[in-house]
Amino acid sequence: MSTTTEERLIRPARNIVGSLRLPGDKSISHRYGMLAAFAAGTSRFTNFSTGADCASTLACMEALGAKVTKTAENAIEVTGVAGKVVPAGHPLDCGNSGSTMRMMSGLLAAQDGSFTLVGDESLSRRPMERVRKPLAEMGADVVLTEGHAPVTIHGRALKAVDYTTPVPSAQVKTCILLAGLQTEGTTTVREAIRTRDHSELALRAFGAKLTRTVDSVSIAGPQALHAIDAAVPGDISSAAFFLCAAALFPGSNLVLAQLGLNPTRAALLDVLTALGAHIAVLDLEEKNAELVGTVQITSPPEGLGSTTVSGGLAAQLIDELPVLAAIAPYTSGGIRIRDAKELRVKESDRIALVVKNLRAMGAEVEEFEDGVDVPGGQTLHGATIDSGGDHRIAMAFSVAGLRAEGETLIQGAESAGISFPEFFDLLDRVAER
Ligand code: S3P
């Protein structure tokens, strides 16, 4: 656990203008890194995520026998273990990364050997029963510590399962698919709300065969993976902070090139459009089955309107909800968020921290177990923000600070590095003052 915390001062801005190419998507980088490390051969990636989370995935896979080499700025080569990891002989440190811990649990449950997965203080509080349960149904030996990490896995041959996920979670879906990849028979994951499908697309890109229906995905194992070369699309969840910042100012004009626009990730563009922002998507193309394009956003002179995010939309937008809540006071009609209880078990209790920090800035906000009501038409003042060591809270309130009166001090600003180390520098580049 880090004991030093960095503070960042956010000064108000006039608008957001410029053109950026953002670092690689965190979700896709985790999957490309993990699958390449498991595959046979050497994969090459450009624009790989620069976040500490993906570095945790790579470090764990290196400890399990894969070879990772940095070849250029944000470019890596990964030589895989050809389907058979080497037990590390020490705990695998997943850092702050739930994706690393949950997805790797599935990968390792079907391998020979014993593995212990540990994480930082935040990750050690997060629920892991959601991966233990389906893996146990497959016959895996996974032991938790009161429902949390450390996760101890004694790998063995598993049996195929047909599993319906009780909470929408792409990490859990991936965990089961990675176990199914190595297991005789057909493993099926059913989900009531479709979560991000990067694993399905990545597994296919690495040569695996999967079948999909509207609400399920099946994999017949065992299957081998081969290496690939890929450019990772820009991270739309990182872009969310810039898109929301731009939407706040009628004078803004921001272009984000080579952005990942996978339909299971791009719901923010619809929500911002519903709020009144003007969004144009240019140069749409497909790379390894992922949609990539250039997005231009401008904001209407009359400002943003109002919207409700609930049901399946809340699950699809889960990582973008903190920043949407943070800009909500500046809309005319406010933003209502419901069906987002999962926010309480992310890197922090994101509902509690959104409410605490909005109130610190003088906003009126009502807290619900599964969301918030933030009225519009409010004027906020700069304040000291408690990020709770959560990257998305630190960045969300940096955006809120751009339109506040006075300066905003972000405590624990270094947490942005979990997904987006370049955040503050890039914000300074496009924020006109
Ligand atoms: C992720 C899935 C989501 C998301 C997280 C990344 C992924 O978590 O919040 O930031 O890459 O699969 P859940 O699977 O817990 O919903």
Side-chain angles (χ1 to χ4, degrees), residues 25-28 30-31 53 98-99 102-103 126 130 167-174 195-196 198-199 237 265 315 317-320 342-343 345-347 350 391-392:
D25 186 86
K26 175 161 90 72
S27 289
I28 296 175
H30 275 304
R31 286 153 174 87
D53 265 11
S99 297
R102 294 190 179 127
M103 302 197 311
R126 297 181 65 188
R130 55 184 63 190
V167 279
S169 166
Q171 294 171 358
V172 173
K173 173 173 63 178
T174 306
T195 60
R196 62 192 70 191
H198 302 302
S199 296
S237 297
R265 291 286 300 287
L317 268 175
I318 200 76
D319 292 341
E320 289 72 62
E342 274 292 298
L343 284 178
V345 291
K346 291 292 178 188
E347 287 82 328
R350 287 184 173 159
H391 55 131
R392 298 205 197 279

Side-chain angles (χ1 to χ4, degrees), residues 327-336 363-366 373-378:
I327 63 164
Y330 306 118
T331 62
S332 61
I335 297 180
R336 190 171 159 267
E364 195 188 306
V365 48
E366 196 176 347
D373 271 2
V374 187
Q378 306 194 56

